[in-house]
Amino acid sequence: MLAAALMTACATPVCCAPAPEKNPLEQALLEEGVSPASSALVIFRLEDEKVWASGGARIRERFTPASTSKIPHTLLALETGAVTGPGELFEWDGQKRFVDSWNEDQTFGEAFGRSTVWIYQIVVPRIGAARLTEELAAFGYGNAEIGGPESITRYWLDGPLAISATEQVEFLARLAHRTLPLSARSYEIAVPIMELDRGDGWTLYGKTGWKSVEGQTDIGWFVGWVEQSAGDAPGTYAFALNMDMPGGMEEAPKRRAAVERALRSIGALPDQGR
């Protein structure tokens, strides 16, 4: 779906192409201090399959998804019964971790919002390697590779799981359209967990991610979708951004800020933003 839309968008012969216009996504990235040369941003409107993209070949380059994988993992945890629901409580083991909000008892729903890695490291093995491999492939989730038994709690942080911005958007479009191979119950429970913000006539869903592996460039992610029933361009927009973060977590706020600015620039969010 998205691949075909991208091919159509690039099919105009060079000799007949109109004068190039400024790419609104590139402008939005620059205004938030993100280099278009070291990032990829794809936005896809489901209703008419219109695509906006920045990043050249990088939009198809795969990176470790880090905590953006909590979207498929949450879906599978609910679908398989690995968790009973968003209210299932996980007791903190007393081990201090670098994010303060991780260092306490919390529910599965809270763990998604807080990106609490240790809870997902408990939940993901419950799903089981065979089911994970099968369902990630059915989702079209990147290379769908989880590695051997030693990787079962780290494959989305260190690899081998990898996914591109384009593949993220294809997956998220299916999630927003509810065409993934999941029960109605899983959608009904999971989607509200993923809500980030809402306003008059719009709702934003998504998840950030930060891939940090020693000796490699840090990669920041923000992926999700927005449903807008008002404004000049109503519709459902799936999006995915990945960006180099040489400054580490100091650059983390740019992820969501850049995407929201880009969404506003194409009418997918109201001008007043949040």
Side-chain angles (χ1 to χ4, degrees):
M1 176 169 63
L2 178 56
L6 281 167
M7 288 179 65
T8 300
C10 299
T12 304
V14 173
C15 65
C16 305
E21 298 180 0
K22 289 185 177 180
N23 185 325
L25 272 57
E26 290 184 359
Q27 293 298 308
L29 291 167
L30 288 167
E31 288 171 14
E32 293 295 340
V34 177
S35 170
S38 57
S39 63
L41 175 57
V42 180
I43 302 175
F44 175 66
R45 185 164 60 208
L46 276 63
E47 287 75 12
D48 59 0
E49 300 187 355
K50 181 173 176 59
V51 178
W52 296 262
S54 168
R58 179 166 170 151
I59 68 172
R60 296 183 180 86
E61 185 178 353
R62 287 172 169 169
F63 297 94
T64 306
S67 282
T68 65
S69 68
K70 287 183 172 66
I71 294 179
H73 286 153
T74 296
L75 295 167
L76 292 176
L78 293 166
E79 181 76 7
T80 62
V83 295
T84 57
E88 181 171 338
L89 184 66
F90 290 80
E91 294 185 3
W92 178 45
D93 59 8
Q95 180 182 340
K96 284 279 188 179
R97 296 172 175 87
F98 75 101
V99 179
D100 289 340
S101 65
W102 295 1
N103 300 322
E104 61 184 14
D105 299 351
Q106 57 199 275
T107 66
F108 185 62
E110 290 170 333
F112 181 91
R114 299 177 183 185
S115 210
T116 309
V117 171
W118 65 265
I119 289 181
Y120 279 80
Q121 290 178 319
I122 293 171
V123 170
V124 168
R126 292 181 185 175
I127 300 170
R131 189 70 183 270
L132 285 162
T133 301
E134 176 185 352
E135 298 296 345
L136 289 173
F139 287 175
Y141 197 79
N143 61 13
E145 294 180 9
I146 69 169
E150 72 285 353
S151 302
I152 194 66
T153 61
R154 302 269 326 164
Y155 66 83
W156 65 92
L157 300 170
D158 306 328
L161 185 62
I163 189 169
S164 69
T166 299
E167 290 168 327
Q168 288 264 27
V169 168
E170 290 173 338
F171 160 71
L172 291 159
R174 293 177 67 194
L175 171 54
H177 207 218
R178 303 199 175 194
T179 57
L180 293 170
L182 296 167
S183 67
R185 174 185 178 274
S186 294
Y187 284 114
E188 289 166 6
I189 298 173
V191 169
I193 295 173
M194 301 171 188
E195 182 180 320
L196 293 176
D197 205 353
R198 64 168 55 232
D200 186 14
W202 60 271
T203 307
L204 177 67
Y205 303 88
K207 187 72 194 73
T208 55
W210 174 34
K211 172 228 168 190
S212 181
V213 177
E214 188 173 354
Q216 300 179 20
T217 301
D218 285 7
I219 301 293
W221 283 100
F222 182 46
V223 308
W225 73 100
V226 59
E227 298 173 355
Q228 182 179 218
S229 60
D232 296 330
T236 300
Y237 298 77
F239 60 83
L241 165 74
N242 63 58
M243 54 179 276
D244 291 357
M245 295 204 314
M249 280 304 288
E250 290 184 5
E251 297 186 64
K254 297 178 181 180
R255 299 170 296 178
R256 181 168 169 179
V259 170
E260 290 192 353
R261 183 179 287 274
L263 290 168
R264 289 194 296 271
S265 75
I266 63 171
L269 278 177
D271 286 338
Q272 63 268 31
R274 300 173 58 238

